[in-house]
Amino acid sequence: MAEHNESGKNAEEQAAEWLKSKGYEHLESNFRHGHAEIDLIMKYKGLLIFVEVKYRSGTGFGYAEEFVDATKRKLIIKAADQYIHQIDWHKDIRFDIVGVYKDRHGNLNFKSFEDAFY
């Protein structure tokens, strides 16, 4: 696996643990539907939450939330629609972005963008 893929996978695992520490329930990772993928599917306070995780080793090229473009959002929504249908969900949903940033000391920091798009 390429190093950037390994970093991304590790960031997704760390983001899931971070969200669980805040009371979220982890339902799925890397849910795929066609070409679309949802990094994390969580449940929190009655909401079904679809989370796109973006890893950045720095902010020189931009922030995590800037890397979820319209095409990526459409793919995530398409996969979410499939998941909602698959589990027969009839309550509210939310789309979040979690930025995972590595500081100059190698520590990971997290920034959550709740209700980032729809």
Side-chain angles (χ1 to χ4, degrees):
M1 184 180 288
E3 184 179 338
H4 72 277
N5 290 338
E6 190 66 37
S7 296
K9 183 165 177 44
N10 181 52
E12 289 173 11
E13 292 169 359
Q14 296 297 319
E17 289 303 316
W18 180 70
L19 289 168
K20 286 181 356 187
S21 76
K22 296 185 163 302
Y24 287 66
E25 178 186 351
H26 180 244
L27 301 177
E28 294 231 15
S29 294
N30 306 112
F31 176 80
R32 295 191 66 82
H33 174 66
H35 294 291
E37 180 183 23
I38 299 170
D39 294 331
L40 301 172
I41 301 174
M42 312 292 280
K43 205 158 123 183
Y44 183 68
K45 294 185 177 179
L47 290 172
L48 186 62
I49 303 171
F50 301 97
V51 182
E52 175 67 11
V53 178
K54 287 295 183 188
Y55 172 73
R56 295 279 146 246
S57 57
T59 56
F61 292 106
Y63 295 94
E65 68 276 15
E66 298 172 322
F67 288 87
V68 183
D69 62 13
T71 302
K72 182 69 171 175
R73 288 191 299 268
K74 284 180 187 174
L75 287 170
I76 293 168
I77 291 166
K78 184 177 180 179
D81 285 342
Q82 175 61 31
Y83 186 81
I84 289 164
H85 177 74
Q86 187 175 304
I87 67 165
D88 197 29
W89 183 262
H90 294 282
K91 297 178 186 171
D92 288 335
I93 65 167
R94 189 174 81 199
F95 293 90
D96 291 359
I97 300 170
V98 171
V100 181
Y101 301 92
K102 185 186 272 189
D103 67 19
R104 63 178 173 236
H105 304 293
N107 300 313
L108 293 181
N109 297 292
F110 303 91
K111 187 170 182 183
S112 180
F113 301 91
E114 294 181 359
D115 215 3
F117 61 91
Y118 187 80

